[in-house]
Amino acid sequence: MMRPLLCSVLGMLVAFPLAAKAPEFVKSAPVADRPTVVRDSSLGYVLLRADQPTPLHLMRIPTAEDQAVYDDLRAKALEKERKKYPGKMKSYESLLASYNVIKKNNRLAKEPVKPIEPTESNFVFTPFNLMAAASIGPMNRFAKGENGKSVYLQSLTPGAYRIYGFMSVLPGGVFGACLCMGSVKFTVKAGEITDLGNVTSSQLLVPATSSADVDPRLNDWPIHSADYRAVGKLPNYFGLGIGRIQPIPGVIGYDRDQVIDLAARPADPALGQPSGRN
């Protein structure tokens, strides 16, 4: 079910006066289902299979350069709001004087709200995660199979990404569920396809193997399986149902509400895999 973007998210976007001039941290587009596909060596690609039409929302993990650009944008926006503050206070004081006169005459009036001086700690600014994201599916399939089986191929700016949820972010709203309580990240390389594997009908992500079928149109493209690693919690920016990615052997598990990076733990000889309670 689609639901409107939360007011809190819209508020952050409104509070970001330089949004229209912000750099494009993520360039992304679906690859169309055509007889021949052309690879752009400057971009990376992700391949996703699914047992049914499935949305997937990715958020870029900032590089040092991304972070520096973002920090500069935030600093400039904060400075702009600081310059507005004296004018806002002057307007507030004028409204307050009028309010006091009205109140003194026993007339009903709404007291004006004193503006808060913007500081480094209280300034509300669009999070990087909302500025650097990409949605895949459930439409724009690269290939279609029987009973809803779907294949998606999407171009992306090279870099590291995390799966934020089985969800789509559209101009009018969002739908799906976020994986805010635990998920995985992977790397996208320029000129290559990162194979994300398959999403089952129960939303279990099954990593790709070297024996996975590949569309003949991609036979000449470099393809590698996603190098999944566990990542922790993120805010529920869109107010969706909260969840976490299901455990993946050797990649991610959980101990109560704690995310376990199984790839970083020593192997358990009895199990032949990294130790940890799923």
Side-chain angles (χ1 to χ4, degrees), residues 74-270:
R74 186 181 186 281
K76 288 179 179 177
L78 173 57
E79 182 60 25
K80 189 173 183 178
E81 291 302 308
R82 281 174 170 164
K83 289 180 179 179
K84 293 179 181 178
Y85 179 70
K88 290 182 178 180
M89 276 299 299
K90 185 175 181 180
S91 177
Y92 163 75
E93 290 166 355
S94 176
L95 291 172
L96 183 63
S98 298
Y99 165 79
N100 288 330
V101 170
I102 294 173
K103 185 179 179 181
K104 186 176 180 180
N105 293 328
N106 296 319
R107 296 169 59 188
L108 294 177
K110 185 177 181 180
E111 184 176 357
V113 178
K114 184 177 181 180
I116 299 175
E117 182 175 6
T119 65
E120 183 66 35
S121 61
N122 68 19
F123 181 53
V124 178
F125 190 69
T126 308
F128 179 84
N129 291 327
L130 295 181
M131 297 171 59
S135 284
I136 301 172
M139 308 298 287
N140 299 311
R141 290 181 286 180
F142 179 66
K144 305 171 185 178
E146 296 181 355
N147 300 318
K149 287 186 178 296
S150 305
V151 177
Y152 301 94
L153 182 63
Q154 185 104 356
S155 64
L156 276 177
T157 301
Y161 293 83
R162 70 173 284 153
I163 296 177
Y164 182 71
F166 294 114
M167 53 180 280
S168 284
V169 178
L170 303 172
V174 296
F175 69 91
C178 80
L179 301 174
C180 305
M181 304 303 290
S183 189
V184 291
K185 65 179 179 179
F186 58 91
T187 301
V188 176
K189 298 179 180 179
E192 298 184 12
I193 293 175
T194 299
D195 191 338
L196 302 182
N198 185 75
V199 176
T200 70
S201 57
S202 60
Q203 295 191 331
L204 172 66
L205 176 62
V206 180
T209 65
S210 58
S211 61
D213 292 334
V214 177
D215 192 292
R217 291 171 291 178
L218 306 177
N219 283 342
D220 295 332
W221 291 39
I223 301 177
H224 67 272
S225 299
D227 56 334
Y228 287 127
R229 294 296 295 266
V231 286
K233 303 173 183 178
L234 275 185
N236 183 10
Y237 296 113
F238 303 104
L240 298 172
I242 298 177
R244 60 189 187 184
I245 203 162
Q246 295 187 49
I248 301 174
V251 176
I252 185 172
Y254 302 95
D255 184 351
R256 299 181 186 276
D257 65 340
Q258 298 300 309
V259 175
I260 306 296
D261 182 357
L262 298 179
R265 303 193 69 172
D268 184 336

Side-chain angles (χ1 to χ4, degrees), residues 20-101:
K21 301 179 182 178
E24 190 175 26
F25 288 110
V26 175
K27 182 178 180 181
S28 179
V31 177
D33 181 3
R34 295 174 180 167
T36 302
V37 290
V38 179
R39 176 165 52 101
D40 184 339
S41 60
S42 68
L43 295 173
Y45 295 83
V46 290
L47 177 69
L48 176 69
R49 304 171 189 81
D51 289 350
Q52 60 189 22
T54 298
L56 192 72
H57 193 66
L58 307 178
M59 289 183 171
R60 181 176 173 85
I61 297 172
T63 62
E65 182 180 358
D66 290 337
Q67 192 65 53
V69 171
Y70 174 80
D71 290 345
D72 182 61
L73 287 172
R74 186 181 186 281
K76 288 179 179 177
L78 173 57
E79 182 60 25
K80 189 173 183 178
E81 291 302 308
R82 281 174 170 164
K83 289 180 179 179
K84 293 179 181 178
Y85 179 70
K88 290 182 178 180
M89 276 299 299
K90 185 175 181 180
S91 177
Y92 163 75
E93 290 166 355
S94 176
L95 291 172
L96 183 63
S98 298
Y99 165 79
N100 288 330
V101 170

